């Protein structure tokens, strides 16, 4: 190991924040994690950034001491921004899962550019973070006025550790309403609100920005090169491309299931189905569809965290128990209320129904984004067991691969840093999964589609409450 080149990757999700330490040969040396804390602040729910920052500094210092880490980079979940003035926040960072008051929402939404400009659909809550910027501007205009920089979430942490304020295209272009992907420039919203001057200059994801000068718990001086951060799902996309996948569909799973298919034409994207164009780290439009699959699984399964057996899946298929969309906002089935149909089930059987639901939603999304190529599945849902195998049974014409890491966003961030060092240690370690052999699965899918009214979604209806 070249001691000064070990890499710390902070993979900052909505539910979990993790630190991975990579050797320069691509192996993972250590992993630690925490849960972000959220607090109420003057009518908003906001991130406790100070608590997270303390954990990050302590964890990074320990990684430097334990593994001679010399580089750090940040991979972050979408939808989140920070308003910064000089060396401090001018307003706490908003939780994207909150809706502007109805009295403001309609007025705010009038400012949103058309879909064909941004390829960013109008979504609830703060799933488009430009919408939350408009909300904050309406009720806290002094915060926008005072801010000298609007930083995307990974760039907020790059700045906290390096002192340098920059922008990065994969995050700015992540369903924010702030980017026009066909122009490769900010959208009309940015210019109409006078925000362009607050957007720092762009640097590529992975570019070295400066150094973090810290101290160990014993007081020894530490120095680490800080690299520009990246949007987490786009980081995963970069990783799989870097190990040789070209014409493929990526199913990146966590709190969100985010599906990229570069073979899908942009004119096939339906704004009412939570379809959009993300932007790759090199600035190219990336046709995408998504839903909150991890969140929906947690809700629908009652928080089940153990593997699910084939026997449990077979039983609920035979009983005719279904979960119908949707158990969280957004996604391709907006306007529906999540519910169970059929005999009541608990425990593993309820979790089996939830798993089938998430697989069926994934397969629906793959149909909508015209996926006919190889499928690569990455992230937390792989760990539920059988997710990939069930999907492979439903899509027999497409090879389905899974990664042994299930942490493509962290691996992609590490690969971006290693690229700057002239190193490419990662190899394609995915494996093709064998389809499950669940009797009656295809008939179950067809019945689910009929009950869910897949052919005629109520995308234009007002958002209903959802429940388990």
């Amino acid at each position: 190991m070249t001691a000064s080149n070990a890499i710390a990757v902070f993979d900052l999700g909505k539910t979990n924040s993790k630190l991975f330490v990579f050797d320069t040969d691509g192996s993972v040396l250590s992993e630690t994690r925490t849960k972000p804390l959220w607090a109420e602040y003057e009518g908003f729910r906001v991130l406790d950034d100070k608590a997270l920052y303390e954990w990050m500094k302590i964890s990074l210092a320990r990684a430097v001491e334990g593994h001679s880490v010399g580089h750090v980079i940040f991979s972050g979940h979408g939808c989140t921004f920070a308003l910064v003035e000089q060396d401090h926040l001018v307003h706490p960072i908003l939780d994207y899962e909150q809706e502007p008051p109805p009295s403001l929402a309609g007025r705010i939404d009038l400012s949103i550019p058309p879909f064909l400009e941004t390829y960013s659909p109008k979504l609830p809550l703060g799933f488009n973070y430009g919408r939350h910027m408009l909300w904050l501007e309406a009720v806290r205009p002094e915060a926008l006025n005072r801010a000298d920089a609007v930083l995307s979430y990974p760039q907020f942490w790059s700045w906290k550790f390096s002192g340098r304020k920059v922008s990065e295209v994969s995050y700015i272009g992540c369903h924010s309403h702030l980017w026009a992907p066909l122009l490769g420039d900010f959208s009309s919203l940015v210019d109409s609100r006078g925000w362009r001057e607050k957007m720092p200059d762009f640097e590529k994801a992975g570019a070295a920005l400066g150094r973090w000068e810290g101290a160990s718990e014993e007081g020894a001086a530490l120095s680490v090169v800080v690299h520009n951060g990246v949007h987490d799902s786009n980081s995963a996309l970069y990783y799989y491309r870097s190990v040789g996948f070209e014409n493929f569909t990526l199913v990146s799973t966590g709190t969100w299931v985010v599906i990229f298919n570069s073979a899908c034409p942009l004119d096939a994207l339906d704004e009412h189905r939570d379809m959009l164009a993300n932007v790759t780290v090199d600035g190219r439009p990336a046709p995408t569809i998504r839903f909150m699959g991890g969140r929906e699984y947690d809700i629908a399964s009652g928080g089940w965290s153990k593997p699910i057996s084939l026997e449990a899946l077979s039983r609920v298929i035979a009983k005719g128990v279904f979960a119908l969309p949707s158990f969280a906002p957004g996604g391709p089935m907006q306007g529906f209320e999540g519910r169970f149909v059929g005999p009541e089930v608990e425990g593993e059987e309820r979790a089996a129904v939830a798993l089938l639901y998430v697989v069926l939603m994934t397969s629906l999304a793959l149909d909508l984004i015209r996926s006919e190529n190889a499928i690569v599945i990455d992230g937390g849902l792989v760990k539920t067991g059988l997710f990939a195998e069930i999907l492979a049974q439903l899509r027999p014409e497409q090879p389905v691969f899974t990664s042994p890491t299930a942490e493509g966003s962290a691996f992609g961030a590490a690969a971006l840093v290693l690229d700057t060092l002239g190193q490419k240690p990662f190899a394609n370690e995915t494996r093709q999964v064998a389809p499950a052999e669940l009797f009656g699965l295809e008939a179950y899918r067809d019945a689910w589609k009929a009950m869910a009214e897949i052919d005629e979604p109520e995308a234009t209806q007002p958002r209903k409450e959802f429940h388990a």
Side-chain angles (χ1 to χ4, degrees):
M1 180 178 78
T2 303
S4 64
N5 282 342
I7 300 161
V9 176
F10 282 105
D11 191 14
L12 303 169
K14 176 68 193 296
T15 307
N16 295 290
S17 292
K18 297 163 278 189
L19 172 64
F20 297 91
V21 178
F22 288 83
D23 197 345
T24 51
D25 65 2
S27 61
V28 177
L29 300 175
S30 69
E31 175 186 346
T32 185
R33 62 181 60 207
T34 191
K35 288 188 177 292
L37 301 176
W38 304 91
E40 298 300 319
Y41 173 82
E42 297 183 357
F44 295 97
R45 191 166 55 254
V46 300
L47 176 69
D48 187 341
D49 63 286
K50 292 183 175 63
L52 188 54
Y53 187 39
E54 286 305 308
W55 174 81
M56 293 169 74
K57 289 189 294 184
I58 291 168
S59 299
L60 181 56
R62 289 174 178 169
V64 175
E65 290 184 288
H67 302 290
S68 299
V69 160
H71 302 263
V72 63
I73 188 171
F74 311 87
S75 170
H77 64 81
C79 315
T80 304
F81 67 98
L83 301 180
V84 174
E85 180 187 25
Q86 297 180 4
D87 62 353
H88 61 277
L89 279 168
V90 297
H91 193 279
I93 294 170
L94 299 184
D95 177 356
Y96 67 72
E97 291 188 82
Q98 53 192 323
E99 178 70 16
S103 59
L104 282 176
R107 176 158 57 89
I108 286 170
D109 291 344
L110 290 175
S111 300
I112 292 172
F115 178 72
L116 291 180
E117 178 188 346
T118 64
Y119 284 92
S120 180
K122 293 182 180 180
L123 296 170
L125 311 179
F127 294 166
N128 312 112
Y129 78 79
R131 188 172 190 251
H132 265 196
M133 287 179 64
L134 289 165
W135 179 19
L136 204 56
E137 183 183 59
V139 298
R140 299 283 190 276
E142 70 282 359
L144 263 296
N145 291 336
R146 284 175 50 200
D148 59 39
V150 178
L151 299 179
S152 304
Y153 193 54
Q155 283 60 55
F156 171 73
W157 294 113
S158 299
W159 165 68
K160 290 287 285 186
F161 281 84
S162 72
R164 189 170 165 203
K165 300 169 185 173
V166 300
S167 298
E168 189 279 320
V169 71
S170 76
Y171 204 101
I172 290 282
C174 169
H175 50 82
S176 65
H177 290 323
L178 303 181
W179 192 251
L182 296 184
L183 296 177
D185 195 6
F186 290 111
S187 72
S188 57
L189 175 63
V190 173
D191 287 325
S192 68
R193 308 311 298 181
W195 294 342
R196 185 180 285 262
E197 64 182 20
K198 299 179 185 294
M199 301 295 180
D201 292 340
F202 283 86
E203 289 284 354
K204 288 195 61 135
L209 301 180
R211 284 188 172 270
W212 175 67
E213 306 293 344
S216 70
E217 291 173 296
E218 291 75 29
L222 307 174
S223 183
V224 177
V225 179
V226 180
H227 295 258
N228 194 19
V230 62
H231 173 233
D232 55 6
S233 296
N234 275 289
S235 181
L237 181 64
Y238 179 80
Y239 171 70
Y240 290 105
R241 283 179 167 163
S242 77
V243 298
F245 281 99
E246 294 180 2
N247 179 24
F248 74 110
T249 299
L250 175 63
V251 180
S252 177
T253 72
T255 301
W256 290 88
V257 172
V258 182
I259 300 174
F260 298 89
N261 178 22
S262 57
C264 178
L266 289 178
D267 62 10
L269 300 179
D270 182 347
E271 61 182 306
H272 301 298
R273 296 281 209 172
D274 210 340
M275 301 178 76
L276 57 135
N278 267 293
V279 177
T280 65
V281 295
D282 51 2
R284 292 179 294 163
T288 306
I289 187 169
R290 56 189 209 138
F291 67 103
M292 289 187 85
R295 175 67 53 76
E296 293 201 77
Y297 176 76
D298 287 342
I299 294 170
S301 71
W304 185 265
S305 59
K306 303 172 189 175
I308 298 167
S309 66
L310 279 169
E311 291 74 17
L313 290 159
S314 295
R315 287 196 302 271
V316 299
I317 289 172
K319 290 179 181 179
V321 189
F322 299 85
L324 301 178
S326 290
F327 294 87
M333 297 296 292
Q334 298 174 48
F336 288 91
E337 183 178 2
R339 63 201 186 279
F340 282 77
V341 173
E344 186 173 342
V345 288
E346 296 297 336
E348 186 184 7
E349 289 192 351
R350 172 173 168 156
V353 178
L355 178 57
L356 288 166
Y357 165 77
V358 175
V359 175
L360 290 168
M361 284 290 289
T362 302
S363 189
L364 166 65
L366 290 166
D367 287 341
L368 291 170
I369 204 161
R370 301 190 184 182
S371 175
E372 298 178 348
N373 45 20
I375 297 169
V376 177
I377 304 173
D378 170 85
L381 284 176
V382 174
K383 299 175 184 176
T384 62
L386 300 176
F387 175 86
E389 289 80 358
I390 301 168
L391 188 65
Q393 181 178 342
L394 289 174
R395 308 188 75 82
E397 303 302 316
Q398 295 174 263
V400 176
F401 298 86
T402 60
S403 169
T405 69
E407 301 287 356
S409 58
F411 275 69
L416 286 163
V417 174
L418 288 165
D419 282 353
T420 70
L421 304 176
Q423 299 172 341
K424 293 186 178 295
F426 293 116
N428 185 353
E429 297 181 348
T430 60
R431 66 174 183 89
Q432 185 172 349
V433 302
E437 296 181 357
L438 284 167
F439 178 77
L441 178 63
E442 290 77 10
Y444 181 93
R445 173 199 55 204
D446 295 342
W448 180 83
K449 281 188 172 184
M451 283 186 285
E453 302 178 31
I454 297 300
D455 292 332
E456 296 183 12
E458 300 175 39
T460 59
Q461 289 191 5
R463 177 70 205 165
K464 300 175 184 175
E465 293 299 317
F466 54 92
H467 60 79

